Amino acid sequence: MERKRKQILYLVIPCYNEQEVLHETARRLREKMESLMEREMISRESRIMFVNDGSRDRTWEIIRELHESDPIYQGVKLSRNRGHQNALLGGLMTAKEYADMVISMDADLQDDIDVVDQFVEKYYEGCEIVYGVRSARKTDTFFKRFTAEGFYKLINFMGGEVVFNHADYRLMSRRALDELAKYKEVNLFLRGIVPMIGFQTGIVTYERHERFAGESKYPLKKMLALAVDGITSLSIKPIRAIVLLGMLIFLCSIAMLVYSLVQHFLGNTSIGWTSLIVSIWAIGGLQLLAIGVIGEYIGKIYLETKERPKYIIEEVLR
Ligand code: UDP
Ligand code: MG
């Protein structure tokens, strides 16, 4: 289904301590938006919305200055730092009230903004969601590439459904966002939830650049936390794995039982100290691991039952 053209596009950009990149990012994005407006691809009412995720530097002041200099810039201020996923969601939910389509991207413009044209084109062709997928990781260090690709493989292996090498660079129509708003969970892993929405989707590939200034706000520790959150919020495969492991150990224990009885009747009962010590440690360790995995899920249930808000908006500049 072809859509009518010149619709309203909002760019949503979560920012956490991004004072080094904001001016440059704002300039490049405005150029992009203006070129789209001139070619009549998007409406003149399209906007660039920065979400300040409780930054401790001058980020919010810069956003305010930008807003005062040109109304194309808008700002949403969260009451404190809530992390990338929540900041993004806060921005998306605010933008969907005014926009026909919303593109989310990072403040460092590592994701090539020239593919915005293709995103918008796909939207007019009828896509409700368009995923930006990285074609290569030439500029990433080996370590970043290895951990990042491992992240996607691990989540898929554990039963989550994510688009390989797609981060949070995507277009969503207002309709898709309205559906997203119905997912009430507190532990929201957007990359896993968005594919569940369905509808007609498209993919756009691009090359990822290096950060032009500032440093990554996603150290390995945060990435691991995101992976654990992703897996536990998308699948219960880890718990199933424990069940399987339990059965396996039970089978082993039957074999051990037969073995020890035979040894007993042969009169060799003093041997077996080694196997005893090994099994105590092995089974003990496995039990702790298993309790830990189940505990992860109980922790999730605990947090979900509280239904605490995912973010609180302190101020909106529009
Ligand atoms: N970010 C955020 N809150 C946080 C951490 C990061 O809003 O607590 C934003 C950050 O400002 C950036 C995006 O999330 O726009 C991605 O972060 P970054 O570029 O540092 O991650 P990387 O590209 O290295 O994975
Ligand atoms: Mg980045």
Side-chain angles (χ1 to χ4, degrees):
M1 173 204 70
E2 279 279 326
R3 287 190 158 106
K4 76 172 171 42
R5 301 182 79 85
K6 277 185 84 174
Q7 297 198 27
I8 302 176
L9 167 70
Y10 268 56
L11 303 181
V12 168
I13 301 130
C15 307
Y16 176 59
N17 295 346
E18 298 285 11
Q19 61 183 9
E20 289 95 352
V21 301
L22 258 183
H23 284 291
E24 178 64 13
T25 297
R27 191 186 62 75
R28 287 197 209 168
L29 288 179
R30 191 179 64 181
E31 248 171 41
K32 181 90 240 163
M33 292 293 264
E34 274 166 3
S35 111
L36 286 166
M37 287 173 190
E38 257 149 45
R39 281 175 286 145
E40 309 224 304
M41 277 179 76
I42 56 171
S43 152
R44 290 265 162 204
E45 278 155 66
S46 300
R47 295 287 179 265
I48 302 168
M49 182 179 271
F50 294 105
V51 183
N52 175 32
D53 184 19
S55 301
R56 271 171 277 129
D57 62 1
R58 292 195 62 251
T59 299
W60 182 244
E61 282 95 85
I62 297 174
I63 294 173
R64 191 189 288 281
E65 282 161 28
L66 286 167
H67 173 70
E68 277 155 16
S69 72
D70 189 335
I72 194 170
Y73 301 118
Q74 300 192 336
V76 174
K77 185 183 185 203
L78 300 195
S79 61
R80 54 159 297 169
N81 181 254
R82 294 292 292 132
H84 175 216
Q85 297 285 298
N86 290 313
L88 184 54
L89 188 74
L92 291 176
M93 291 303 125
T94 312
K96 86 178 170 68
E97 304 302 319
Y98 316 104
D100 297 309
M101 54 183 143
V102 180
I103 297 178
S104 49
M105 58 173 75
D106 291 352
D108 52 19
L109 299 192
Q110 281 185 292
D111 304 313
D112 186 2
I113 61 166
D114 285 328
V115 299
V116 164
D117 305 43
Q118 295 175 46
F119 273 126
V120 174
E121 235 8 279
K122 292 248 178 202
Y123 169 79
Y124 288 131
E125 282 164 21
C127 289
E128 302 287 346
I129 303 170
V130 187
Y131 300 99
V133 171
R134 254 165 263 173
S135 57
R137 282 179 178 268
K138 273 183 240 136
T139 56
D140 280 359
T141 60
F142 171 77
F143 182 71
K144 177 88 188 179
R145 183 166 55 208
F146 181 76
T147 50
E149 290 189 344
F151 170 91
Y152 295 102
K153 287 192 185 136
L154 182 70
I155 290 177
N156 276 324
F157 175 75
M158 287 295 188
E161 209 185 293
V162 292
V163 180
F164 191 70
N165 266 345
H166 157 71
D168 285 302
Y169 190 27
R170 74 175 83 80
L171 177 143
M172 293 180 78
S173 67
R174 177 189 293 171
R175 186 171 176 203
L177 287 169
D178 281 336
E179 296 305 325
L180 178 66
K182 292 181 190 160
Y183 288 75
K184 297 286 180 209
E185 56 224 79
V186 178
N187 291 285
L188 199 71
F189 180 64
L190 283 170
R191 277 172 237 183
I193 299 294
V194 173
M196 288 181 185
I197 297 175
F199 292 133
Q200 183 179 338
T201 60
I203 281 183
V204 164
T205 52
Y206 66 96
E207 264 188 49
R208 187 164 157 101
H209 309 297
E210 263 168 282
R211 224 176 209 278
F212 64 83
E215 55 191 37
S216 174
K217 273 86 194 165
Y218 259 103
L220 185 64
K221 200 173 130 213
K222 268 198 201 170
M223 212 151 87
L224 279 177
L226 188 68
V228 170
D229 268 352
I231 293 164
T232 49
S233 70
L234 292 174
S235 97
I236 52 165
K237 256 197 182 174
I239 297 185
R240 295 241 171 87
I242 293 177
V243 176
L244 261 170
L245 196 72
M247 283 199 227
L248 223 77
I249 292 179
F250 179 64
L251 287 179
C252 287
S253 79
I254 291 177
M256 282 303 281
L257 184 79
V258 173
Y259 169 77
S260 356
L261 280 178
V262 170
Q263 290 296 328
H264 176 75
F265 289 118
L266 291 180
N268 294 337
T269 31
S270 63
I271 63 152
W273 181 84
T274 318
S275 55
L276 205 64
I277 287 292
V278 169
S279 12
I280 288 172
W281 282 91
I283 307 271
L286 280 174
Q287 277 178 336
L288 281 184
L289 177 81
I291 295 172
V293 172
I294 296 169
E296 262 306 307
Y297 284 92
I298 295 179
K300 281 255 150 106
I301 297 170
Y302 176 62
L303 292 174
E304 291 294 342
T305 53
K306 290 179 192 276
E307 289 183 40
R308 288 181 177 158
K310 286 175 276 239
Y311 54 84
I312 297 170
I313 292 177
E314 185 176 329
E315 196 180 345
V316 181
L317 302 176
R318 49 174 291 110

